[in-house]
Amino acid sequence: MKPGITETLERIAATIESRKGGDPKASYVSQLLAGGDDAILKKIGEEATETVLAGKGEDRLHLVREIADLWFHSLVLLAHKGLGPGDVLAELHRREGIPGLDEKAARKLR
């Protein structure tokens, strides 16, 4: 991973956090947060669908842009739930080195 990537995620998360309780007419993020679960989840569903469609195509830049949108809206959901990118990175760190099939089987046991 390029240097600064984690810091970029943390800066974006901090900006999202600063929009909590803000004027929904002045900030897209404030508008999403004010809409609650339904508004945020609807947007994530839209972005996930757009990511899938971009993944079927050959335009790599389009795919990257759609995944950036999906990640961004996922960060909004995390903030809405009192979480942040560090929580996701910690889970990925926990899974690192565990074979995918083993990790998936362990989830079924929980």
Side-chain angles (χ1 to χ4, degrees):
M1 190 173 345
K2 292 181 182 179
I5 298 297
T6 302
E7 292 82 4
T8 299
L9 287 172
E10 291 296 339
R11 280 193 308 275
I12 292 168
T15 299
I16 292 168
E17 194 66 32
S18 75
R19 301 296 195 267
K20 284 184 174 180
D23 181 1
K25 292 179 182 173
S27 164
Y28 173 70
V29 171
S30 296
Q31 183 180 49
L32 275 176
L33 291 168
D37 289 350
D38 289 342
I40 298 165
L41 294 171
K42 179 181 178 190
K43 193 60 186 172
I44 288 177
E46 291 171 7
E47 296 302 342
T49 299
E50 291 171 5
T51 297
V52 169
L53 293 173
K56 296 290 284 178
E58 299 299 320
D59 186 339
R60 293 163 44 107
L61 180 58
H62 181 63
L63 176 60
V64 167
R65 288 178 172 162
E66 292 302 338
I67 290 176
D69 288 345
L70 181 59
W71 284 17
F72 175 80
H73 289 89
S74 295
L75 289 170
V76 172
L77 178 60
L78 286 169
H80 180 65
K81 298 293 185 175
L83 299 164
D87 297 294
V88 177
L89 292 172
E91 175 61 13
L92 289 171
H93 179 73
R94 184 193 68 77
R95 293 181 187 186
E96 189 175 13
I98 300 172
L101 294 175
D102 292 347
E103 201 285 324
K104 192 172 183 177
R107 276 189 266 157
K108 290 181 182 177
L109 297 174
R110 285 186 235 148

